[in-house]
Each structure stands twice: as structure tokens, then as C-alpha cells.
Amino acid sequence: MKIDFTKSSDGLIPAIIQDSITKHVLMLGYMNEEALQETNKSKKVTFFSRSKQRLWTKGEESGNYLEVVSIKNDCDQDTLLIQVQPVGPTCHTGADTCWDEKNEETFGFISTLENIIEERKNDLDNQESYVASLFTKGINKIAQKVGEEAVEVVIEAKDSDDNLFLNESADLLFHYLILLQAKGFTMKDITKTLRQRHQ
């Protein structure tokens, strides 16, 4: 990996720190050549602290290390993207990130649906909510609906109508998300299980 430390007068280049799983940006620090060498050697992110004027391994006092997963250089060879597994919160304030964001895995619109399902689950008196009515009927009814939708997906998979197949697939996924919450789980638990199997 070629890195041009000469582009800045002080020999420092920015290092963007990103969680390897959630993809959230955790912080921004600066590295000189020695800091990068130490990071590669220890597999813990080490910066050059501009305030302390020395090498500084993130977590050396708090224990909240940033364990290196990968290091990438940008197209101009003067900025690093370091993917990590954080041990504890990243920010000195105790927040997950230096932008005071939760470092949680999200799944785009699927996460939006999960939030809506959770709201309906907590509002069972909502007479107009289909989701609330399923939760009211209990786990057996929810599981039955997942089974019915799964059969529909199989039937449509054997046909040539892609639109029907996609609609039935969406129905299956939606009801599966409801079943997950009825059992006390979310997509995070499923992806965790899949990652464990992958290892």
C-alpha cells in the first residue's frame, strides 16, 4: 500500500475509522508513517496525537481499543479508511461515535418496518392495525401466516409471473419480521447467527 505522507506539511494524513459490521463512521484521527506502522504491527488503531505530540493508541487508557479488520488507501493515496471492531464506545464522552450516534446495525427500509411493527406491538388497542391484530391473536396465528405466505412464495416461484413472486416474497418477509418480534428477536439476531456460521 503506497501512501503519500508528503502531501501535508506535518506528515499527517487523515484516517477515517469505520465499524466493519455496522458501517458507521466512528471517528476521524490522524496518522504519520510511524503511527501506521504501529497500527499494522499491533492490530490496534494508533494515531499521532496533535495535542500530545506523540503516538497514541486509541483505548490505551480506557481499554476501548479499535481492533483493525482492514486498511484501505484512497485514490489520491493520502487518506485511510480503517475498518475496525470497536471494544466499547469510541468517543471520549462515552458515546458510540464521535458524532453521538448509536453504533447499531441497520437494514435500510427493513429497519423502518421493524420500528413500525414494534410500535404496533406496543399499541394492541389500535383497532385499525393489521399488525396489532396479529399480535393480539398470538404466536400460533402469526406462525400460521408465515407458513401460508411461504407456501405462496413456493407456488409463485414455479410460475413465470415475476410481479406475483415479488409481492408474495414481500408478504413473507413482512410476516417473518412480525414473527421475529413475537419471539423477542430482530434481524440483528439473524445476521449475528449467520455471521457465526460463516466463521
Side-chain angles (χ1 to χ4, degrees), residues 10-193:
D10 54 10
L12 298 177
I13 62 169
I16 301 164
I17 310 302
Q18 180 185 45
D19 188 297
S20 63
I21 294 175
T22 68
K23 306 306 179 187
H24 284 292
V25 175
L26 304 177
M27 68 173 292
L28 171 71
Y30 292 87
M31 290 185 172
N32 59 11
E33 192 167 1
E34 188 181 1
L36 179 59
Q37 289 173 352
E38 180 59 29
T39 297
N40 279 316
K41 178 183 174 183
S42 68
K43 300 303 179 188
K44 291 181 173 63
V45 175
T46 298
F47 300 105
F48 181 83
S49 171
R50 293 175 296 175
S51 58
K52 300 173 184 176
Q53 285 296 298
R54 65 170 177 84
L55 293 187
W56 166 65
T57 299
K58 179 71 180 78
E60 64 185 25
E61 296 178 0
S62 65
N64 297 330
Y65 294 104
L66 298 170
E67 298 179 349
V68 176
V69 174
S70 68
I71 301 177
K72 297 176 183 176
N73 199 4
D74 79 335
C75 56
D76 291 325
Q77 300 178 338
D78 62 359
T79 303
L80 295 173
L81 175 64
I82 304 179
Q83 293 194 329
V84 303
Q85 290 183 347
V87 179
T90 297
C91 187
H92 71 280
T93 64
D96 287 351
T97 79
C98 288
W99 289 268
D100 197 24
E101 296 174 329
K102 285 283 187 185
N103 184 29
E104 295 178 345
E105 192 170 15
T106 57
F107 307 93
F109 184 65
I110 297 297
S111 294
T112 300
L113 276 179
E114 285 192 310
N115 290 335
I116 293 170
I117 290 168
E118 184 179 13
E119 289 174 7
R120 302 297 188 266
K121 180 182 177 184
N122 294 328
D123 185 20
L124 298 182
D125 293 331
N126 187 342
Q127 302 283 329
E128 298 178 359
S129 169
Y130 168 71
V131 174
S133 71
L134 280 180
F135 279 114
T136 300
K137 292 173 183 174
I139 189 73
N140 289 344
K141 182 61 177 178
I142 297 171
Q144 178 187 337
K145 284 297 296 180
V146 171
E148 291 171 1
E149 298 300 340
V151 170
E152 292 293 333
V153 168
V154 171
I155 291 170
E156 295 304 334
K158 295 182 177 183
D159 205 346
S160 58
D161 191 324
D162 291 344
N163 188 52
L164 280 176
F165 173 71
L166 288 174
N167 274 285
E168 292 299 342
S169 296
D171 286 344
L172 173 58
L173 179 55
F174 179 66
H175 286 88
Y176 178 63
L177 293 174
I178 295 171
L179 180 61
L180 276 179
Q181 291 207 29
K183 295 291 291 181
F185 299 111
T186 67
M187 283 296 292
K188 293 174 191 174
D189 299 293
I190 301 304
T191 56
K192 180 181 178 182
T193 299

